[in-house]
Amino acid sequence: MKEARFVSQNKEKWGKMENVSHLDTDTIASNYVILSDDLSYAKTFYPGSDVVKYLNQLISVYQINIYGQERSEKKGILSFWVREFPLLLYRERRTLLFAFLFLLFAALIGIFSTAKDDTFVRLILGDAYVDKTLENIENGTPMGIYSSSNEVDMFFMITANNIKVAFVAFVFGIFFSAGTLWILFSNGVMLGAFQYFFFQHGLLLHSVMSVWAHGTFEITSIIIAGGAGLVMGNSFLFPGTYKRSYSFRNGALRGIKIVTGLIPFFIIAGWIESFITRYADTYPVVGAVAIILSLGGVIGYFVVYPYYLHKTETNGKD
């Protein structure tokens, strides 16, 4: 193969590899292996050429980053949530934004359907839940269902279920992203139907003050887990200049890291739902405070901090 053709075939791929600072550990390691192979090929067939010098310079940047990451890993697992996870969220921000908008669209469908058909909410939430909630409303405790179980038992049950939903949303991305879209869609419709059900009974504000105390972290985490599934599925559907198998493996690893990073937030959401939401009927101000703190945490950690960290590490350059 002529040197010009070799460069032409790989120029775009190398260009994407140049900005190392915002890449996660697995991507850096994979890119390093690819660059090593390309450099070996170039040294064999084009010794002393400009492409050999270019690849030598690029691979040296990766070596510096790999050694730096090895040193940072000694700081402990906390560094994952301090640096790697937020940077990964920033990298996949467009996919995560799409997941959010898609779930919001599904929620609007749930609202519209519930408004047009009184039986729709029973189809989505189930007769048992609707009947029990109607009974609670008559008794003056609309959110009584959240105090129907022991706090500790409820905490473990809810947290385990939320984590399961997140991993299902991620794993279903293997079905060409369609499986993840279905999970996001069904959760969005359920959310919309739930909120409009309380609106029909004049309890929208009461339900928001109660449910979103834990729902802020819970729904945000489900959206991000869905985004992780789309990252994996899209990496197979749209491999770009990479081999499909390599692109899929890389996307799956990024998705797994995103879902794993969400576990603490599902624990927080489960704790709030089990120990705080049960007091929403008696002390609505407690729910309001929890919402404000949760919303601040979500915006700060999932939006502002990743942007700030990326800008800091790239010196303001994308």
Side-chain angles (χ1 to χ4, degrees):
M1 183 188 300
K2 293 184 178 181
E3 182 182 351
R5 185 181 177 188
F6 175 71
V7 173
S8 177
Q9 286 185 348
N10 294 283
K11 185 177 180 180
E12 184 179 355
K13 178 183 70 178
W14 295 335
K16 292 180 179 179
M17 293 180 176
E18 287 180 355
N19 194 353
V20 184
S21 59
H22 71 289
L23 299 180
D24 58 84
T25 305
D26 294 308
T27 303
I28 289 176
S30 299
N31 287 355
Y32 181 77
V33 172
I34 293 172
L35 288 172
S36 297
D37 291 341
D38 290 344
L39 179 59
S40 296
Y41 184 91
K43 284 182 175 179
T44 301
F45 294 99
Y46 325 113
S49 65
D50 289 338
V51 68
V52 170
K53 295 177 183 177
Y54 168 76
L55 290 174
N56 264 322
Q57 292 175 348
L58 185 54
I59 206 168
S60 66
V61 175
Y62 273 80
Q63 289 172 338
I64 292 172
N65 273 269
I66 288 172
Y67 295 143
Q69 286 183 357
E70 287 177 350
R71 288 193 297 269
S72 66
E73 285 174 359
K74 296 178 181 179
K75 297 179 182 178
I77 195 172
L78 184 61
S79 62
F80 172 74
W81 279 279
V82 172
R83 180 182 181 276
E84 186 173 356
F85 181 56
L87 286 176
L88 189 53
L89 293 178
Y90 182 85
R91 176 182 178 181
E92 305 297 345
R93 63 193 182 281
R94 292 183 179 86
T95 303
L96 299 178
L97 177 61
F98 173 81
F100 166 72
L101 294 176
F102 187 80
L103 185 136
L104 180 61
F105 172 72
L108 293 176
I109 291 178
I111 291 172
F112 178 81
S113 300
T114 306
K116 296 297 181 180
D117 184 356
D118 291 338
T119 64
F120 184 77
V121 69
R122 291 183 175 274
L123 176 66
I124 299 300
L125 301 179
D127 288 330
Y129 179 88
V130 172
D131 290 338
K132 182 62 178 177
T133 301
L134 288 174
E135 180 183 334
N136 288 336
I137 291 174
E138 291 180 2
N139 294 331
T141 55
M143 298 296 137
I145 198 165
Y146 291 102
S147 58
S148 59
S149 302
N150 173 268
E151 290 97 327
V152 177
D153 293 340
M154 191 174 179
F155 167 71
F156 284 108
M157 180 183 67
I158 289 173
T159 302
N161 181 70
N162 288 341
I163 292 174
K164 183 186 74 173
V165 170
F167 273 92
V168 168
F170 163 67
V171 171
F172 272 34
I174 200 171
F175 299 112
F176 312 109
S177 294
T180 292
L181 290 175
W182 169 249
I183 297 296
L184 288 172
F185 181 80
S186 58
N187 276 274
V189 170
M190 185 181 299
L191 177 63
F194 174 87
Q195 289 292 184
Y196 196 82
F197 170 69
F198 281 96
F199 169 76
Q200 288 176 317
H201 292 83
L203 294 166
L204 177 62
L205 180 60
H206 186 85
S207 68
V208 168
M209 296 282 281
S210 306
V211 175
W212 286 95
H214 65 269
T216 304
F217 273 119
E218 183 180 312
I219 299 301
T220 299
S221 297
I222 289 175
I223 290 171
I224 294 175
L230 295 178
V231 167
M232 178 173 66
N234 291 347
S235 67
F236 180 82
L237 292 173
F238 312 108
T241 58
Y242 300 111
K243 291 183 179 179
R244 196 176 298 275
S245 58
Y246 165 78
S247 176
F248 176 71
R249 182 174 67 253
N250 190 271
L253 287 173
R254 295 200 308 274
I256 289 172
K257 284 191 172 186
I258 292 174
V259 175
T260 302
L262 292 172
I263 290 177
F265 302 99
F266 279 120
I267 293 174
I268 293 172
W271 184 86
I272 294 174
E273 185 171 358
S274 304
F275 292 91
I276 294 181
T277 305
R278 65 178 52 241
Y279 298 109
D281 288 323
T282 308
Y283 307 105
V285 68
V286 175
V289 171
I291 291 173
I292 293 172
L293 294 176
S294 297
L295 189 60
V298 165
I299 295 175
Y301 184 78
F302 291 110
V303 181
V304 177
Y305 181 63
Y307 176 82
Y308 167 79
L309 192 61
H310 170 77
K311 290 300 180 183
T312 300
E313 298 207 358
T314 58
N315 295 316
K317 299 178 181 178
D318 286 315

